[in-house]
């Protein structure tokens, strides 16, 4: 599969010649795209919103298109400036100051975007939270970051721990009626209404915290990843080069605003390009997905391999009832985009989905399959111009092509996280090999410079003297006609004796049985290698996943140990 190749989709994309641009690119040159070229004094809102809102020919262009239950609300750049200035003035009036934290605990809604823009204007650190967070998870984050306020809605307030509410200065609500049981309840729209639609937005030091996102990572308690206003340089370059955004593009970033992808590519990145961000708040369905692409004339779609897998599962009839002629680029993130999904999508959409790789900690796409570059199915692509990536060994030494090791990124780059909230020791662990950011991902690089994900460092499996990555085994499992999803872990039955165990889900209509398990084991051996010996296969109804759709192998390991997943 490393030799398979799909011809470049669009040689005339924003990044026309990868090699030429990569070899001459500098981050300092990219500052020429901004109104202010002082890299040390910035404010992302000035570049993402105000520059377009103050431009007579661009101020009325759509910036945010929000749809829920068939109701569509469109906000221009001028609208977003006016609303966020009002809200910023209201926050200042309520005593908010530079460095304060404000939590956003809401389902997808326009108020999320009003809040993050208002916070960024005044140097308040915003923290989007998944609406599905449990009581204990919320309490842990509130105790860690100590926000001055939380913005929520009446339907969700009961999920917030009572002691935490008492610690807040304000509890903002997007709509009424107010619960009437807390002494600091505020209906934010009513409070902000009398304030001016102008605000003297200051410039900050480029490292000034912009947002805080909690991520569980692969192991350990949730960590608060901090990003700064300087991220805007990386946001703009990757929006242009990786997502091929232009002025007037309609980008649908199909993910929750509380996931870093929703924060970066659902808001700031398209706005920096004077493009529109489409937000769909309805629950996922295949027909809704297809209708959204057609009705809103989506030009760029950033989704997940899980979404494409659901489309594939639904069959081939529905997909041909819609017009996708406006769609010029599709990219994915979150997990490896397997070749089978690429070929299915190409067959039915007449366009190639392009995989990308990045992390909450990197703040921007770091590896990408670019529209003007041939796609190698199964690959994460090549480094973004300005990013130097390598496969390194345990001592921090770069490894030659086709050697498995840890993926590392040369520091610095503009969107790199600035801190782990209140945990300097944990932050420094990412940089324990001087000059490198260690991703914790295992990968290989071929002799053309394409990178291939093999799993997390914690997921590597040692069988006898060989180190095996789960990705290739899982891909072989998914090629079996009965298997929908697959995950592989190792089990130790006695010292130095390890075997492989697979977890799979089956396609609808397939009946689990012992014969099927034996057939799957034989299939993997024949398809991959006789040395790969799956001792056990467990069939699940569904795979444990994070809120962003990533497989949680640690939950499978916990299941094997008979304890609760973490």
């Amino acid at each position: 599969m490393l030799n398979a190749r799909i011809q470049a989709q669009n040689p005339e994309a924003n990044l026309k010649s990868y090699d030429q641009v990569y070899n001459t690119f500098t981050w300092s040159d990219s500052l020429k795209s901004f109104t202010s070229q002082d890299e040390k004094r910035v404010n992302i809102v000035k570049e993402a919103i105000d520059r377009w809102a103050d431009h007579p020919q661009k101020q009325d262009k759509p910036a945010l298109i929000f749809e829920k239950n068939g109701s569509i609300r469109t906000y221009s750049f001028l609208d977003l400036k006016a609303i966020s200035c009002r809200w910023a003035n209201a926050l200042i009036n309520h005593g908010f100051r530079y460095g304060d934290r404000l939590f956003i605990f809401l389902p997808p809604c326009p108020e999320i975007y009003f809040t993050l823009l208002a916070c960024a204007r005044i140097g308040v650190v915003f923290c989007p939270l998944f609406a599905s967070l449990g009581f204990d998870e919320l309490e842990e984050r509130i105790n860690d970051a100590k926000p001055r306020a939380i913005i929520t809605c009446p339907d969700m307030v009961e999920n917030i721990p009572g002691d935490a509410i008492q610690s807040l200065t304000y509890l903002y609500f997007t709509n009424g009626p107010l619960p009437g049981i807390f002494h600091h309840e505020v209906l934010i729209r009513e409070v902000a209404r009398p304030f001016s639609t102008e605000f003297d937005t200051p410039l900050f030091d480029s490292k000034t915290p912009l947002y805080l996102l909690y991520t569980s990572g692969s192991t350990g308690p949730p960590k608060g990843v901090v990003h700064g206003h300087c991220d805007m340089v990386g946001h703009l370059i990757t929006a242009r080069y990786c997502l091929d955004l232009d002025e007037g593009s309609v980008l649908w970033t199909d993910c929750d605003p509380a996931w870093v992808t929703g924060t970066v590519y659902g808001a700031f990145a398209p706005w920096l390009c004077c493009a529109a961000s489409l937000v769909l708040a309805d629950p996922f369905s295949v027909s809704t997905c297809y209708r959204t692409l057609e009705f809103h004339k989506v030009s760029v779609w950033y989704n997940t391999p899980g979404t494409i897998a659901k489309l594939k599962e639904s069959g081939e009839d529905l997909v041909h009832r819609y017009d996708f002629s406006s769609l010029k680029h599709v990219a994915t993130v979150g997990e490896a985009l397997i070749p089978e999904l690429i070929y299915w999508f190409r067959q039915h959409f007449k366009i190639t989905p392009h995989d990308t790789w990045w992390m909450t900690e990197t703040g921007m796409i770091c590896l990408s399959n670019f529209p003007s570059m041939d796609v190698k199915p199964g690959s994460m692509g090549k480094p973004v111009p300005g990013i130097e990536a390598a496969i390194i060994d345990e001592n921090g030494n770069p490894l030659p092509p086709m050697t498995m090791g840890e993926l590392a990124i040369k520091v610095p780059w503009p969107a790199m996280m600035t801190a782990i909230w209140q945990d300097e020791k944990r932050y420094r662990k990412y940089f324990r090999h001087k000059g490198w950011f260690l991703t914790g991902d295992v990968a290989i690089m071929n002799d053309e410079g394409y990178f291939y994900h093999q799993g997390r460092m914690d997921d590597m499996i040692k069988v006898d003297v060989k180190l095996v990555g789960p990705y290739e085994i899982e891909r072989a499992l998914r090629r079996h006609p009965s298997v929908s999803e697959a995950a592989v872990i190792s089990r130790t039955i006695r010292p130095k004796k390890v075997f492989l165990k697979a977890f799979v889900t089956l396609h609808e209509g397939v009946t689990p049985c012992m014969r099927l398990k034996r057939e799957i084991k034989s299939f993997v051996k024949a398809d991959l290698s006789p040395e790969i010996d799956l001792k056990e296969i467990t069939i699940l109804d569904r795979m444990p996943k994070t809120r962003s759709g990533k497989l949680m192998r640690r939950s499978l390991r916990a299941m094997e140990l008979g304890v609760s997943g973490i």
Side-chain angles (χ1 to χ4, degrees), residues 534-549:
L534 288 175
K535 293 291 187 184
E536 290 184 17
I537 294 180
T538 292
I539 298 174
L540 302 175
D541 292 331
R542 62 183 179 86
M543 287 287 180
K545 294 183 179 181
T546 65
R547 292 179 178 88
S548 60

Side-chain angles (χ1 to χ4, degrees), residues 415-481:
M416 185 176 77
M417 65 174 176
T418 59
I420 298 294
W421 183 260
Q422 305 285 348
D423 199 337
E424 179 68 15
K425 183 178 179 181
R426 200 169 182 181
Y427 176 75
R428 291 297 169 195
K429 283 185 68 176
Y430 286 92
F431 309 96
R432 57 187 179 274
H433 292 314
K434 188 175 180 179
W436 293 105
F437 167 83
L438 304 182
T439 67
D441 279 356
V442 179
I444 59 174
M445 180 187 73
N446 72 4
D447 54 10
E448 295 181 76
Y450 287 81
F451 287 78
Y452 293 79
H453 193 263
Q454 301 297 304
R456 293 287 295 170
M457 291 293 289
D458 297 326
D459 295 332
M460 297 309 291
I461 301 163
K462 193 168 186 179
V463 181
D464 293 330
V465 297
K466 294 180 64 177
L467 203 60
V468 180
Y471 174 72
E472 288 297 327
I473 305 171
E474 291 166 359
R475 196 173 72 179
L477 283 162
R478 286 191 293 263
R479 280 196 285 267
H480 189 281

Side-chain angles (χ1 to χ4, degrees), residues 517-532:
K517 291 182 180 181
R518 290 193 297 269
E519 180 186 309
I520 293 172
K521 290 178 185 179
S522 300
F523 178 85
V524 171
K525 279 190 174 185
D527 185 69
L528 195 59
S529 169
E531 297 180 11
I532 302 299

Side-chain angles (χ1 to χ4, degrees), residues 229-294:
H229 282 252
C230 56
D231 284 23
M232 67 182 192
V233 184
H235 294 175
L236 175 64
I237 294 303
T238 53
R240 285 179 175 171
Y241 287 170
C242 304
L243 301 185
D244 205 32
L245 288 184
D246 296 310
E247 183 178 319
S249 295
V250 177
L251 170 64
W252 181 21
T253 302
D254 185 19
C255 64
D256 195 290
W259 186 23
V260 67
T261 306
T263 298
V264 174
Y265 296 102
F268 293 111
W271 295 339
L272 287 163
C273 298
C274 197
S277 175
L278 170 64
V279 177
L280 181 68
D282 295 323
F284 175 86
S285 75
V286 173
S287 58
T288 298
C289 179
Y290 291 154
R291 185 203 63 82
T292 300
L293 292 169
E294 178 185 72

